[in-house]
Structures are given as structure tokens and as C-alpha cells.
Amino acid sequence: MLFLKALNPKNQLILASLVILGFTGFLFLIFPKSLFEVINTVSIWVRTFFGKLYLVLGLLIVLYLLIIAISPLGKINLGSSPPEYSTLSWLAMMYSTGMGAGIILRAVQEPIFMMQHSNMELSRPNDIHGLEMTFYHWGFTAWGFYGLFALFIAYLLVKKKNIQLSHIIPKLSNSLTTKSIDLLVILTTVFGVVSAVALGIRQIEGGISFITESSLGVYLSIILCVLIFSFAIFSSIKGLSKGIRRLSNVNITLTLLLLAYVILNSDISLILSNLLQSVLALLQDFVPLSLAVGEFDFSEEFLSDWTYYYWAFWLAWAPFTGIFIARISQGRSIRQLILGVLIVPSLGSFLWFTSFGTSAIELINAEVVSSFAFDNVFTATFVLLEQFPLGFYAVILAILLLIGFLITSVDSAIFVLGMFSDLTKINPATFHKLTWGILLFLVTLGFLMIGRFSQAGNVLEAVQKILIVSSLALALLSVVFIFGFTFGLVRHYKSRKDQIQK
């Protein structure tokens, strides 16, 4: 009854989404091994023929956003009313939704891996290279994908259109084409969100197993999944101001507390020095890094395991995160949106990874831990925190923070998908949120099951392959969206300019 009530009789798009996702979740639960083999085969083909597309697209998007921001188009306001949220709450909700859980997952493991496995002759020390590569994967390009889609949706909201992305393409009247585009956006959004939640749950399992020295296996996964989605649905129903905003502010407060804890237990001067050197290195190397040329001519294996995966992941999250950022950015200018999305969250991530990465490499150099202590992505952060005074409580804080971030991401996704199914409403009805919450829960369980049967023995490999496949079409469509959006924005700017002159 709930699913039927959530559907508008005329909305075939949402009906198709529910059927496909429900059937996919069923297959994940019943045939995980066979499905993984199919995904593996298709992902190899995608990486072979389209991998470089992700690199070029990421660079072009960052440059495009900067051009829009500094041009006269950047002065256009996204609505006539003042901003609904303070700058701090705006940034907190943006960051909690877009990055939160991931920065805990990769806080230690990725910088250390990049420091220890450069596999090339470098002009910089390995520790600076490791931080630079981590910054590259988590910085401007990642937020560029988010910012691009936030700009698309913000423009649609200003024009008082349906938020479905097919409306960006001018004069697109073919019903089948528009529905296919919007269906793709919804499916990619769901895959991106539930895969991130699946990864987060596996890390929470790692943390609980780490401190209890025991493992509950699949039962713990189910319990955590139920817990996270129950709180996320409740928070989403409470709405942006009462639910998501408050939880995001709590998340950021706990994040700053954990960050301060790590910094105070480390060499602060070394952290600041590494931060400055790595940021300058990234700015200097950004273009060759983005194109994988010259000194950064990485192997296909490295690009497939890291950069292709990350770009596919950010693309998968971009529609959902972009819609959410657009919704909370009403009243701000295009310039404020772009610069706020590109710069502030990136700098926050840079400080985070520098603090955790520098602290970890200090422990290795001092032979407090072995060089292999941080190899496991699901426990690396907890291993680091345990080395400090009151480390047990820091691990507990990290687990709670991870749960909070996952709840924020899920409730934001429920809110955004509810906007899709409730058509033009920016505050979707409760039964739409319940419908999407239940469906996301079922598909997330499917991801967890397929991960347990992957060759790597965890969900990470399965997620990499699924996202590379599911986000390919969205990468191709992004180019079309850019042209359609630019055309509409320039026309809107000229129209307003003519009205002012009259």
C-alpha cells in the first residue's frame, strides 16, 4: 500500500525506478556470485575504452566552473529571497552529505598507500606525493562534479521547472528520451548512495571487531543497516531544518573534535608544513595529474583501482548531492555556490588527510607500528587512534561519527529522491520519503551480500566495478548537460540585462 500511495498515476518514471531497483535488490540477495561475474566483465570493458574520458571530463568541469564563477554570469542570484541557512550550517550540511563517511574510511589508509607505492620516479618526497595524490582524489575535481550538478538543479529551481535533469537540455521533446535520462539519474544516484553506505557499514564492522576482538559477520551488517536506515528515515521525515541540519551540525562538531584530538597528539608544525607543501604541489601539478601525463603517467591498473573509481564514484553521487546542495543554496549567487563548493570543503579535506596521514607516517618512522599496520582500509583509522592516549574512546568517537555521517547521507538521499517522486515539490511528502527509505534499505542489503562473495572478500571491489559501469552514461550526458545549461544561463542573463536597461 505504501509503494502504491507514493506513486503518482501519471509518473511512469518512478514506477520504472521502483520495479528495476526492487528487482535488482532481489538479484543481489539471491544470486550475488553470478551477478558479480557479469559486473566484473562489463567493468573491464568500460575501463578499457572509456577510462580516459573520466580524467578529461573531471579537468574540464573544474575549469568550466571557475570560468562561470569569475564571469558576469556568476552574479546571478539563485532566487530572490535571502539564504535560508547560515554559512556554517550550509557548509556543514554540504560536507556531511558529500564527503563525511568517506574521509573516515580513507583518512589513514590512502595517504599511507600513496606514500609507500609511488611506483615512479618523483621530484618530491614520498610523503608529500602521498598527500598530493590523496588531495587530488578528494579535492577540487570531486567537488567540481558536485558543484556542476548543483548548478544545474539550482538553475531549474530558479526557472521554477521540474528538477529532473532532462529539463536542462533545450527543446528535448521526445518522451522516451527524457524519461530514460531521468531514470538513469535516479538509478545512478541510488547505486552511489547505497554503495557508500555499504562501505561505511563494513568499516563500522571493522571498528567494532577491532575494539571487541570478535566478529558477528553478516548479522552485524543487518543490524547496522536497520539502525542507520531507521534513524535516516526518521531524520528525513523531520525535514531539512529539524532533522538534516541539526544532525549535520553535530557531525561537523564531532569531526572538528576528532581532528583536534589527532593534531594535538602529533607534530603540529610538521602537519602545517606538509599541508602547505602538498597544497602547493597539487596546484602546480593539477593539469598533468588530471590528464595522467608526464611525471604522472600512471599505469592503467593504478588508474582503474583509484582515479577511475573515484571519478565514477563522485559522478554517481553528483546528481543526489548536487540536488541537495542546490536545495540548501537558494538565495546565494552562482559565484558563492561555485566557490563555496570548490574551495571550502576541499581545504577542509586537505587538513583532515594531512593530519591523519602525517600522524600515521610518524608512527611508522618511529617504529611504533609496522609499515603494514595501515593496509586494511576498514581498520586503518582505528589502528592510528589506538596509539594515542585515550585511544579507545577516540575509536568509539570515530565509529559514532561514521554512523552519523552515514545517517546524514542516507536521509539527504531520501529527501532528494522524494523530490523526484513528488515531482515539483521541494519538500516531498512523508510517504515518498518512506518509500525511498525502504527501497534504499533493500538495495543496500544487496550490495553487502554481493560484496561478501567478491573475489577480494569485501564489498570494496564490487562497489568499484558497479560504479564504473553505472556512471558511464552519466559521464557522457554531463557534456550534453553543460551545453544545454550554458545556453539557458546565457539567455537568462541577457533577458535580465535587457529588463534592467528598460
Side-chain angles (χ1 to χ4, degrees):
M1 186 67 183
L2 176 63
F3 285 91
L4 294 176
K5 187 179 179 182
L7 294 173
N8 184 311
K10 298 181 180 180
N11 198 339
Q12 299 175 356
L13 170 66
I14 304 304
L15 176 60
S17 302
L18 293 174
V19 170
I20 292 173
L21 290 172
F23 183 66
T24 302
F26 174 78
L27 290 179
F28 282 166
L29 288 168
I30 305 302
F31 306 111
K33 276 192 174 181
S34 300
L35 200 56
F36 179 81
E37 292 175 0
V38 173
I39 292 171
N40 183 48
T41 302
V42 177
S43 69
I44 292 174
W45 179 82
V46 170
R47 285 175 294 182
T48 301
F49 292 98
F50 295 99
K52 296 293 184 182
L53 170 67
Y54 288 104
L55 298 181
V56 176
L57 181 63
L59 175 62
L60 291 179
I61 285 174
V62 172
L63 297 178
Y64 172 78
L65 289 176
L66 290 175
I67 292 172
I68 293 292
I70 64 177
S71 73
L73 299 175
K75 298 179 181 179
I76 297 176
N77 284 325
L78 302 172
S80 56
S81 59
E84 186 177 355
Y85 303 99
S86 67
T87 300
L88 182 60
S89 291
W90 177 57
L91 293 173
M93 285 191 287
M94 181 193 308
Y95 199 82
S96 293
T97 300
M99 285 290 170
I103 64 171
I104 300 177
L105 180 71
R106 294 291 193 178
V108 176
Q109 185 266 343
E110 183 167 345
I112 296 301
F113 179 89
M114 295 298 174
M115 293 175 190
Q116 296 176 337
H117 300 85
S118 60
N119 296 323
M120 59 180 64
E121 294 294 328
L122 297 170
S123 58
R124 293 188 175 87
N126 283 348
D127 55 347
I128 301 302
H129 167 74
L131 291 172
E132 179 187 7
M133 288 301 303
T134 306
F135 291 1
Y136 169 58
H137 287 146
W138 289 83
F140 304 124
T141 307
W143 286 98
F145 286 127
Y146 291 172
L148 181 71
F149 281 83
L151 207 53
F152 292 161
I153 301 302
Y155 171 73
L156 292 178
L157 288 174
V158 169
K159 299 293 286 184
K160 297 182 179 180
K161 293 182 178 180
N162 192 298
I163 65 166
Q164 293 169 347
L165 285 168
S166 59
H167 286 74
I168 296 174
I169 305 174
K171 300 179 181 180
L172 182 60
S173 58
N174 185 287
S175 176
L176 180 60
T177 302
T178 58
K179 289 177 180 177
S180 298
I181 291 173
D182 294 327
L183 178 61
L184 169 69
V185 171
I186 289 179
L187 293 177
T188 305
T189 297
V190 172
F191 287 145
V193 171
V194 299
S195 61
V197 176
L199 282 171
I201 287 175
R202 290 303 301 274
Q203 190 186 15
I204 295 172
E205 290 179 24
I208 293 175
S209 298
F210 183 79
I211 60 177
T212 62
E213 298 183 353
S214 61
S215 176
L216 296 177
V218 68
Y219 301 105
L220 181 58
S221 297
I222 296 173
I223 293 171
L224 289 171
C225 203
V226 171
L227 178 69
I228 288 169
F229 277 91
S230 297
F231 277 101
I233 293 172
F234 175 77
S235 176
S236 184
I237 290 174
K238 296 290 288 185
L240 282 176
S241 296
K242 294 183 179 180
I244 299 173
R245 179 181 65 83
R246 291 177 181 175
L247 183 57
S248 297
N249 288 339
V250 171
N251 287 342
I252 293 302
T253 301
L254 294 179
T255 300
L256 294 175
L257 181 62
L258 187 61
L259 178 62
Y261 170 82
V262 173
I263 292 175
L264 292 175
N265 282 285
S266 307
D267 187 335
I268 299 178
S269 62
L270 181 59
I271 289 175
L272 294 177
S273 175
N274 285 349
L275 175 64
L276 179 60
Q277 291 183 66
S278 301
V279 171
L280 292 176
L282 176 65
L283 294 175
Q284 179 180 335
D285 300 333
F286 187 72
V287 173
L289 255 177
S290 298
L291 298 176
V293 297
E295 187 179 33
F296 304 100
D297 184 12
F298 301 109
S299 67
E300 283 297 313
E301 180 182 3
F302 175 87
L303 291 172
S304 178
D305 289 343
W306 292 94
T307 309
Y308 294 168
Y309 160 64
Y310 270 126
W311 277 205
F313 196 99
W314 304 139
L315 264 171
W317 265 47
F320 131 67
T321 308
I323 293 171
F324 185 77
I325 293 173
R327 172 63 182 83
I328 65 176
S329 299
Q330 293 184 72
R332 302 183 186 275
S333 69
I334 286 178
R335 183 171 299 153
Q336 288 176 320
L337 188 153
I338 292 176
L339 296 182
V341 170
L342 280 181
I343 297 176
V344 178
S346 295
L347 293 178
S349 292
F350 296 166
L351 176 59
W352 175 271
F353 283 109
T354 302
S355 301
F356 280 80
T358 300
S359 300
I361 201 67
E362 278 189 281
L363 293 175
I364 293 175
N365 292 338
E367 297 184 350
V368 175
V369 298
S370 73
S371 59
F372 307 105
F374 305 114
D375 286 355
N376 188 325
V377 67
F378 296 115
T379 61
T381 301
F382 306 127
V383 171
L384 172 71
L385 295 175
E386 191 188 37
Q387 309 308 315
F388 299 140
L390 303 176
F392 175 83
Y393 299 101
V395 172
I396 297 295
L397 175 61
I399 293 174
L400 293 176
L401 181 57
L402 181 58
I403 293 174
F405 274 135
L406 289 178
I407 293 173
T408 305
S409 295
V410 174
D411 66 17
S412 301
I414 292 171
F415 190 90
V416 167
L417 290 168
M419 290 172 66
F420 272 121
S421 60
D422 218 359
L423 301 179
T424 57
K425 292 184 180 180
I426 61 174
N427 293 302
T430 298
F431 55 78
H432 288 263
K433 298 174 186 177
L434 284 172
T435 299
W436 283 111
I438 293 172
L439 190 64
L440 287 172
F441 167 73
L442 293 175
V443 180
T444 299
L445 275 181
F447 269 73
L448 288 170
M449 294 303 103
I450 193 174
R452 290 189 176 278
F453 286 90
S454 72
Q455 296 171 356
N458 60 57
V459 76
L460 185 58
E461 184 183 355
V463 169
Q464 288 175 320
K465 298 177 188 302
I466 292 169
L467 287 179
I468 289 175
V469 173
S470 66
S471 63
L472 172 62
L474 192 58
L476 297 172
L477 276 174
S478 296
V479 179
V480 180
F481 289 156
I482 287 174
F483 281 104
F485 169 76
T486 305
F487 175 80
L489 189 64
V490 170
R491 187 172 57 181
H492 176 73
Y493 176 77
K494 289 181 177 179
S495 175
R496 287 189 55 189
K497 189 175 181 181
D498 290 342
Q499 291 177 0
I500 294 175
Q501 289 176 348
K502 292 179 180 179

